[in-house]
Amino acid sequence: MINIFQPTLGKEELKAVEEVFESNWIGKGPKTEEFEKQLSERIGCSPDNVTTTTCCTEGIFQILDYLEIGEGDEVIIPSISFIGIGNAILSRGAKVVFCDVDTRTLNVTSYDINEKITPRTKAVILIHYGGLPCEMDSIVRLCEQNNIKLIEDNACSPFSEFNKQNTGTIGDFGVWSFDAMKILVAGDCGLIYCKNKDDMKAIKERCYLGLTSGSGMSNPIDKKWWEFDVSYPGRRSIVNDITSAIGLEQLKKVDGFINKRYEYHEMYNQGLIDLEWLQTPPSSFNKSSYYMYWIQFEDEETRNGLAKHLKENEIYTTFRYYPLHWVEHYKEIGGEWELPNTELVAKTTLCLPLHQGLTNDEVNKVIEKIRNFK
C-alpha cells in the first residue's frame, strides 16, 4: 500500500537515542533545551518565546487555559479543523463558532472570520491547510481591531512562510506538531509559541506543574534543594530527552524532506494539470511546507469513485479534515451551521499520498491510476 503519510527515520535517530540512554538521564534535560533552542532559531524567534510540550493539542489546551477562555466566551475556528481544537474549546466551557473556508485553499479568510465575530468572541484559531499559509495580513488586522487573540495551529505547516515570516509566529500564539504523521517526527511532541515572553514564561511553568523554582540538581547548593514553589496547579506536559534527541536529528534533515515533498508536488502538478475533470492545488507566492496535496472534483460521486479505485490499486487516500460541524457531538451542542464552501470541499476534495518517503515510481503510479480512472 502506498501510504498517504509516512515518517522518514534512520540510524542517526537510533544512535541519538542510544546516547541518551548512555547518559543515564532520559527525562527532560539538555537535549530538550537544545531542541527548543534549535527550533527557535529555525522559526526566527528567541528560545524565550517557545517551549516544547507533549503534543500540539496539549498546546491548544494550555493556551486556552492561560487566556481563561470560559463559559459565555466564543472561539471562532474553521469547521475543517483537527478535533483536538474543538475539544480544547469545549473543555473550557466556551462555545465553538464554526466559520467557512475558501473553496480552493481550504483556508479561512478575514471575510469568513468577520462574519462570525460577536461581542463574546475572545479568540480565533486557524490552520494553514496542507502547509499553504492563510492570508495573514488581513486576519491579523481584523483580530487586532476587535481585540481578539489569534492562535495559529501550525501542525500542517511547520516551516511554511507568509511574507518571509514563519507561520506560527505571526499571531499571538502558535502550536506545532511533531507526531508520527508529520514532516518532522519525534514520536509524540509539540511546540508552543507566544509572541509575548511573559506569556511564555507563565505557560512554561504551567506545563511543568506550575513550578516557579527548581528542585533537586537544578537548585543552587547553598539552598535546601528539596524546596520548591508553584504559581498555578499545572499539569505535567513536558517532553523528555529521548523525544528531543530524535527531534534534533530530524531537524538536520527537514529541509531535505520539504524539498522532496515539493518535488513530488510538482510531479503531481505536471501529471494531472491537463485533466479537465479535476483541479490541482492553487499556487501561492508564499512558502509552503507541502504537507498535503489535494485534488478537487465537480461532484462527490467522482471523488468517492476515484478514492475507491485508488484503494483497490493499493493507493491510500483520504480527506483531511472531516468537518467538525458534521460530528454528532458538535451538532448536539452547537446547533445548525450554514457553511456552503466547507460542505462543498468536504464532498469533492481528495488528499493524495505526499511524503518524502515516496519514490518517483510510486508517484508516477498514483498519476497513472488517476489518469486511467476515466
Side-chain angles (χ1 to χ4, degrees):
M1 180 71 74
I2 299 177
N3 294 325
I4 189 162
F5 302 119
Q6 186 172 300
T8 301
L9 296 159
K11 293 181 180 179
E12 299 85 359
E13 285 83 0
L14 286 173
K15 178 63 176 175
V17 171
E18 182 181 2
E19 290 173 359
V20 174
F21 282 16
E22 291 171 351
S23 75
N24 286 327
W25 181 254
I26 62 173
K28 182 177 183 178
K31 291 290 185 183
T32 302
E33 183 178 350
E34 181 62 23
F35 188 36
E36 291 177 350
K37 178 177 179 293
Q38 290 195 25
L39 281 168
S40 66
E41 291 173 353
R42 185 67 173 76
I43 62 175
C45 69
S46 165
D48 295 332
N49 292 104
V50 300
T51 188
T52 48
T53 189
T54 49
C55 64
C56 183
T57 298
E58 176 62 17
I60 295 288
F61 271 78
Q62 289 284 354
I63 292 166
L64 295 187
D65 284 354
Y66 174 68
L67 293 176
E68 298 184 342
I69 300 294
E71 188 173 349
D73 295 334
E74 296 178 354
V75 180
I76 299 171
I77 66 172
S79 181
I80 296 178
S81 293
F82 183 60
I83 190 70
I85 298 176
N87 289 350
I89 298 167
L90 295 185
S91 77
R92 294 292 307 171
K95 180 181 179 181
V96 180
V97 176
F98 296 117
C99 70
D100 220 341
V101 295
D102 179 82
T103 56
R104 294 289 289 119
T105 66
L106 279 75
N107 278 331
V108 298
T109 68
S110 57
Y111 173 82
D112 299 317
I113 295 168
N114 189 53
E115 289 276 290
K116 301 296 182 178
I117 291 176
T118 75
R120 295 180 295 279
T121 306
K122 297 295 189 248
V124 169
I125 306 176
L126 58 77
I127 68 170
H128 303 284
Y129 188 82
L132 185 68
C134 295
E135 180 57 47
M136 293 300 291
D137 283 345
S138 56
I139 294 174
V140 169
R141 187 162 53 247
L142 177 66
C143 289
E144 288 177 346
Q145 290 170 349
N146 289 275
N147 194 30
I148 296 169
K149 294 297 183 181
L150 177 58
I151 304 167
E152 296 175 78
D153 178 350
N154 213 46
C156 295
S157 47
F159 303 108
S160 298
E161 295 178 3
F162 176 81
N163 289 346
K164 298 184 178 180
Q165 182 175 353
N166 275 266
T167 55
T169 68
I170 301 169
D172 299 294
F173 301 89
V175 289
W176 284 252
S177 174
F178 308 124
D179 72 22
M181 293 194 297
K182 296 303 187 293
I183 300 174
L184 185 158
V185 302
D188 275 314
C189 181
L191 184 75
I192 304 172
Y193 164 86
C194 299
K195 190 175 291 293
N196 183 293
K197 292 180 181 180
D198 290 335
D199 292 342
M200 183 75 269
K201 183 177 182 294
I203 288 179
K204 188 174 291 191
E205 289 177 359
R206 288 164 175 244
C207 285
Y208 199 10
L209 303 169
L211 288 169
T212 60
S213 56
S215 61
M217 298 297 287
S218 63
N219 250 342
I221 59 173
D222 60 343
K223 292 176 62 178
K224 297 184 181 72
W225 54 87
W226 49 83
E227 293 182 354
F228 62 89
D229 199 1
V230 296
S231 62
Y232 179 84
R235 301 192 289 269
R236 191 174 186 275
S237 307
I238 59 173
V239 169
N240 60 55
D241 275 11
I242 299 172
T243 295
S244 297
I246 296 171
L248 284 166
E249 292 303 316
Q250 288 276 290
L251 260 177
K252 298 174 185 177
K253 304 175 180 181
V254 74
D255 285 338
F257 292 166
I258 293 173
N259 288 340
K260 183 60 70 173
R261 286 170 174 264
Y262 169 73
E263 179 184 325
Y264 293 145
H265 183 281
E266 290 304 293
M267 285 181 65
Y268 279 137
N269 275 348
Q270 293 169 19
L272 302 174
I273 200 166
D274 65 316
L275 298 180
E276 295 181 356
W277 51 276
L278 63 77
Q279 286 184 302
T280 54
S283 58
S284 173
F285 291 109
N286 288 300
K287 181 181 177 182
S288 175
S289 56
Y290 301 103
Y291 181 59
M292 289 191 286
Y293 187 95
W294 61 99
I295 51 178
Q296 296 177 296
F297 312 90
E298 290 187 358
D299 56 74
E300 185 176 11
E301 183 180 2
T302 303
R303 191 276 303 269
N304 293 350
L306 177 60
K308 183 174 183 291
H309 168 71
L310 293 174
K311 190 174 182 182
E312 289 170 350
N313 284 277
E314 297 293 306
I315 299 167
Y316 187 83
T317 61
T318 190
F319 172 68
R320 302 283 298 268
Y321 294 95
Y322 185 76
L324 295 184
H325 78 283
W326 283 353
V327 176
E328 287 300 326
H329 184 65
Y330 286 89
K331 284 183 182 178
E332 293 172 4
I333 61 177
E336 297 295 324
W337 297 95
E338 291 187 10
L339 305 170
N341 291 355
T342 296
E343 299 198 354
L344 175 65
V345 298
K347 293 175 181 177
T348 58
T349 304
L350 189 66
C351 300
L352 302 181
L354 183 63
H355 54 82
Q356 62 275 3
L358 290 166
T359 65
N360 286 12
D361 286 345
E362 288 175 327
V363 175
N364 283 326
K365 177 182 176 180
V366 177
I367 293 170
E368 176 194 356
K369 296 304 178 184
I370 292 173
R371 295 187 68 89
N372 290 344
F373 177 61
K374 285 202 170 185

